[in-house]
């Protein structure tokens, strides 16, 4: 019986879908059905739009929205994450495909499929090495700076589409830009602005109006999320029936193959794999970090748990399935996930339903996609991306923590000036440098006793008792090779200011480790102090720290210094000869 339970637990761990299917109810299905329909409405325009943003044929975005979500539903631990084409990943794919060394190899569709396959393999290797915790190595400020920078790049990429222009190549030539803007296509701009206006109206204005008339929240969500589909339908009808492509050169999606794609298992030539590998690694990193971050947002709202390593497995297999089914790399999409969640999705059944609806649309309605104007798709991308630009956050972060603020701003500027990979690398490096700077200069407080108590506080913040011959120092950081010299210099500086000190007590309440280098410096410092007739003591050391120290001669070398259990005990014994001041 125990073996059966163990096997069942392992099966549920690998296939989380088994866990929620056991108790799946009709009420949950009704909620998932509604959410699946609403999410499918968003999947069609987003799938096409993000494929075009990546510089790929539209069907690659649609194909990436069918099999990968199904695979994620089997293996993923988030019940509401919507996996498919994502805006930030799309702009990274575009950057990879337009890189000189990649474009020289030709066939961008094949390159995109290899990116999907490599991303999947890298994620599975990371899962094998239990690297799910990698998500913690990119700080929130760096991720915010990266997202804002990438979003600004996307906006700059899509504005020409909205205006009916080609990508600019003017550099900083103002006259060139004047001539460039004179080529705006009025009809294309009208289509784009109409779509953008509809999307804006279907946002806060419509939601506010529907709330005022007392409509149910689920219906409000359903109606408000129909904006992208309505914008696509209206602008496509206008293009089709007014023959705007022929008469006014309005750019459209073009032919989309009908039916589901044939499975692909040939990704040669092998040289492309080597060239694309660095780009795949960055796409993998961002796709994973963003997906887990989005999954955690909705999971926290329902007190559910996300298993980061299992997410690597789920997203890895989802990307492999995208590669063999002709799709671009996939990740969790923020807007789709929030729509899915707000529409009442209870489980991944909602995404299974959405994928099924999209599959039917690809099979039976592909000819309808042909006349979708690219300006309307640009409007959809702009409406989805603009809220991700959070310039105000930089000021807030800067005020709270200068180091994090610098990292966030540098990441944003790095993405805009040097590129996505360089920007995120710069942000990570600056975050690590800031962390090392903080740990190399830990906070050290000279403390005294609050009168009438056994509480010891910083003498710069509180009115406390101190002693002429006794110095109490509290080190608020682990003691390592990176900061031991700073600590040593601090102690010597205090001794120069207080020449009458005979006893020093290092309070270790915040010290959870002392490494080998730091221990050696402490031993040398102790010998120096003893030669100067000053005795070193420690107090309130944690159990693991004492265990390590007792394996060495340090406690013996302290003598006549002691290791006190409480700082109060040290003060009681050592302050007898010293006057309070």
């Amino acid at each position: 019986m125990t073996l059966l339970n163990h096997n069942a637990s392992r099966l549920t761990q690998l296939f989380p879908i088994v866990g929620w299917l056991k108790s799946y109810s009709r009420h949950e299905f009704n909620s998932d059905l509604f959410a699946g329909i609403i999410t499918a409405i968003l999947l069609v325009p987003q799938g096409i739009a993000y494929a075009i943003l990546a510089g790929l044929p539209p069907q690659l975005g649609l194909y990436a929205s069918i099999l990968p979500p199904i695979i994620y539903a089997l293996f993923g631990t988030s019940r509401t994450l919507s996996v498919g084409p994502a805006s930030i990943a799309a702009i990274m794919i575009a950057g990879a495909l337009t890189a000189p060394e990649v474009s020289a190899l030709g066939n961008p569709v094949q390159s995109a499929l290899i990116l999907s396959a490599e991303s999947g393999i890298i994620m599975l290797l990371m899962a094998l090495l239990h690297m799910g915790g990698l998500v913690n190595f990119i700080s929130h400020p760096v991720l915010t700076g990266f997202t804002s920078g990438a979003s600004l790049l996307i906006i700059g990429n899509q504005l020409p589409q909205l205006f009916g222009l080609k990508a600019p190549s003017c550099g900083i030539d103002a006259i060139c830009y004047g001539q460039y803007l004179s080529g705006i296509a009025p009809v294309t701009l009208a289509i784009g602005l109409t779509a953008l206006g509809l999307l804006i109206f279907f946002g806060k204005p419509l939601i506010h109006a529907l709330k005022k008339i007392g409509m149910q929240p689920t219906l409000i969500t359903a109606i408000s999320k129909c904006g992208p589909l309505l914008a696509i339908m209206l602008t496509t009808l206008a293009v089709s029936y007014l023959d705007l492509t022929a008469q006014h050169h309005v750019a459209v999606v073009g032919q989309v193959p009908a039916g589901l794609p044939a499975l692909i298992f040939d990704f040669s030539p092998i040289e492309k794999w080597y060239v694309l590998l660095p780009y795949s690694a960055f796409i993998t990193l961002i796709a994973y970090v963003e997906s887990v971050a989005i999954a955690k947002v909705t999971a926290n709202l329902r007190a559910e748990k996300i298993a980061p390593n299992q997410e690597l497995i789920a997203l890895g297999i989802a990307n492999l399935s995208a590669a063999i089914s002709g799709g671009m790399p996939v990740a969790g999409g923020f807007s789709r996930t929030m729509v899915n969640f707000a529409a009442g999705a209870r489980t991944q059944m909602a995404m299974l339903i959405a994928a099924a609806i999209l599959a039917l649309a690809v099979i039976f309605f592909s000819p309808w996609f042909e006349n979708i104007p690219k300006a309307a798709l640009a409007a959809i991308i702009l409406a989805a991306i603009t809220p991700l630009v959070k310039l105000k956050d930089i000021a807030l972060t800067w005020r709270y923590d200068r180091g994090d603020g610098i990292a966030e701003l540098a990441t944003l500027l790095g993405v805009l000036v040097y590129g996505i990979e360089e920007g995120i690398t710069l942000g990570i490096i600056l975050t690590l440098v800031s962390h090392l700077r903080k740990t190399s200069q830990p906070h050290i407080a000279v403390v005294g006793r609050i009168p009438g108590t056994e509480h010891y506080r910083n003498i710069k913040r509180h009115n406390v008792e101190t002693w002429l011959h006794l110095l109490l120092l509290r080190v608020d950081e682990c003691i390592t090779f990176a900061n031991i010299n700073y600590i040593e210099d601090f102690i010597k500086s205090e001794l120069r200011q207080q020449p009458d000190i005979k006893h020093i007590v290092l309070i270790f309440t915040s010290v959870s480790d002392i490494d080998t280098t730091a221990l050696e410096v402490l031993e040398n410092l102790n010998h120096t102090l003893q030669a100067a007739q000053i005795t070193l003591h420690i107090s309130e050391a944690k159990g693991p720290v004492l265990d390590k120290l007792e394996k060495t001669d340090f406690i013996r070398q302290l003598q006549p210094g002691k290791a006190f259990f409480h700082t109060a005990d040290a003060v009681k014994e050592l302050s007898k000869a010293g006057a309070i001041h």
Side-chain angles (χ1 to χ4, degrees):
M1 191 68 179
T2 305
L3 182 60
L4 287 174
N5 289 337
H6 176 71
N7 290 336
S9 176
R10 289 292 299 274
L11 184 66
T12 303
Q13 187 178 4
L14 184 59
F15 297 98
I17 189 173
V18 175
W20 57 260
L21 272 179
K22 288 179 181 179
S23 57
Y24 196 62
S25 66
R26 185 179 182 84
H27 173 72
E28 287 177 318
F29 176 76
N30 292 336
S31 298
D32 286 339
L33 178 62
F34 180 76
I37 294 170
I38 299 302
T39 307
I41 290 171
L42 194 60
L43 272 173
V44 173
Q46 277 201 353
I48 295 173
Y50 292 152
I52 291 175
L53 174 61
L56 296 167
Q59 63 266 27
L60 268 74
L62 295 172
Y63 297 159
S65 305
I66 299 173
L67 186 57
I70 295 172
I71 295 298
Y72 180 83
L74 298 176
F75 294 94
T77 56
S78 170
R79 296 194 177 194
T80 53
L81 185 67
S82 175
V83 170
S87 57
I88 304 298
I91 197 70
M92 295 183 75
I93 295 165
L97 297 181
T98 54
E101 64 272 21
V102 177
S103 58
L105 297 173
N107 198 344
V109 170
Q110 184 188 58
S111 296
L113 300 186
I114 292 174
L115 285 173
S116 297
E118 286 186 331
S119 296
I121 293 169
I122 292 171
M123 286 184 182
L124 290 177
L125 287 174
M126 288 168 63
L128 188 65
L129 297 172
H130 296 280
M131 294 176 65
L134 184 67
V135 68
N136 301 318
F137 284 87
I138 298 184
S139 67
H140 178 72
V142 169
L143 187 59
T144 302
F146 165 76
T147 304
S148 296
S151 299
L152 288 171
L153 283 182
I154 294 171
I155 291 170
N157 176 282
Q158 292 304 296
L159 284 176
Q161 296 273 12
L162 194 73
F163 296 149
L165 298 168
K166 293 182 179 179
S169 56
C170 293
I172 57 174
D173 188 344
I175 296 174
C176 175
Y177 272 107
Q179 295 172 345
Y180 171 74
L181 292 173
S182 67
I184 290 174
V187 175
T188 300
L189 179 59
I191 289 172
L193 292 179
T194 299
L196 191 59
L198 269 172
L199 294 168
I200 293 171
F201 173 73
F202 270 76
K204 290 182 179 179
L206 181 60
I207 291 172
H208 181 69
L210 295 178
K211 283 181 178 178
K212 285 190 74 173
I213 64 174
M215 186 174 287
Q216 292 182 353
T218 51
L219 286 176
I220 292 175
T221 299
I223 295 171
S224 65
K225 300 311 174 186
C226 290
L229 184 63
L230 183 60
I232 290 295
M233 289 175 62
L234 291 178
T235 54
T236 302
L237 287 172
V239 169
S240 301
Y241 287 101
L242 299 177
D243 199 19
L244 299 179
T245 303
Q247 295 187 29
H248 297 282
H249 307 290
V250 173
V252 296
V253 167
Q255 186 177 6
V256 178
L260 297 176
L263 297 183
I264 303 165
F265 296 97
D266 180 16
F267 300 105
S268 57
I270 194 65
E271 58 263 26
K272 269 196 174 183
W273 287 71
Y274 292 117
V275 174
L276 289 167
L277 186 58
Y279 299 99
S280 299
F282 274 103
I283 291 170
T284 299
L285 177 65
I286 298 305
Y288 173 62
V289 170
E290 282 208 310
S291 298
V292 171
I294 294 164
K296 282 184 175 181
V297 169
T298 55
N300 290 339
L301 293 172
R302 291 183 180 168
E304 296 169 353
K305 288 186 177 180
I306 300 299
N309 216 63
Q310 182 64 24
E311 288 298 295
L312 278 173
I313 295 173
L315 291 167
I317 301 176
N319 273 284
L320 284 176
S321 71
I324 66 173
S325 62
M328 59 193 286
V330 297
F334 182 77
S335 58
R336 288 194 311 273
T337 299
M338 296 314 296
V339 167
N340 192 38
F341 180 84
R346 307 306 303 175
T347 68
Q348 277 292 333
M349 183 64 73
M351 283 311 301
L352 293 174
I353 293 168
I357 294 172
L358 187 61
L360 293 174
V362 170
I363 294 170
F364 297 108
F365 303 110
S366 288
W368 293 16
F369 303 152
E370 185 174 336
N371 284 332
I372 295 176
K374 290 185 176 181
L377 294 174
I380 289 172
I381 293 173
L382 288 171
I385 277 297
T386 303
L388 298 180
V389 180
K390 299 179 179 179
L391 300 181
K392 187 179 178 181
D393 276 18
I394 296 176
L396 295 174
T397 304
W398 187 284
R399 282 200 296 268
Y400 180 76
D401 188 298
R402 186 65 56 86
D404 282 346
I406 291 172
E408 187 170 341
L409 179 61
T411 304
L412 187 150
L413 295 176
V415 167
L416 293 177
V417 176
Y418 299 109
I420 285 178
E421 292 83 3
E422 293 83 354
I424 191 70
T425 302
L426 177 63
I428 293 172
I429 290 172
L430 286 175
T431 301
L432 293 175
V433 168
S434 176
H435 175 71
L436 289 174
R437 183 186 62 80
K438 291 174 185 176
T439 55
S440 66
Q441 297 180 6
H443 179 259
I444 305 174
V446 178
V447 302
R449 182 174 61 195
I450 295 178
T453 73
E454 291 188 353
H455 297 296
Y456 295 84
R457 297 291 184 268
N458 193 331
I459 64 172
K460 295 180 180 179
R461 293 177 176 270
H462 302 274
N463 183 22
V464 294
E465 299 172 341
T466 58
W467 296 267
L468 189 62
H469 302 294
L470 175 61
L471 177 64
L472 305 178
L473 295 176
R474 190 187 70 231
V475 182
D476 293 333
E477 184 64 74
C478 292
I479 303 178
T480 68
F481 70 94
N483 60 31
I484 185 59
N485 290 327
Y486 177 84
I487 295 170
E488 183 182 25
D489 291 343
F490 186 94
I491 293 171
K492 290 178 178 179
S493 174
E494 287 296 321
L495 290 176
R496 284 194 294 270
Q497 296 176 43
Q498 303 182 57
D500 295 326
I501 294 296
K502 296 300 179 185
H503 296 278
I504 298 174
V505 179
L506 296 180
I507 304 171
F508 283 175
T509 48
S510 299
V511 177
S512 55
D513 186 44
I514 301 174
D515 70 13
T516 306
T517 304
L519 178 63
E520 184 178 346
V521 175
L522 282 176
E523 288 175 340
N524 292 335
L525 175 64
N526 180 52
H527 295 321
T528 302
L529 292 173
Q530 286 178 343
Q533 303 299 309
I534 300 172
T535 307
L536 181 66
H537 310 265
I538 62 174
S539 74
E540 303 195 39
K542 299 178 185 296
V545 173
L546 275 179
D547 290 343
K548 289 184 70 173
L549 293 179
E550 286 172 353
K551 295 176 182 176
T552 70
D553 291 334
F554 181 73
I555 300 296
R556 183 184 59 77
Q557 291 175 16
L558 274 182
Q559 296 174 0
K562 297 181 179 179
F564 291 98
F565 191 70
H566 290 297
T567 303
D569 297 335
V571 170
K572 185 177 181 180
E573 181 173 328
L574 303 175
S575 64
K576 293 176 181 178
I580 295 178
H581 63 99

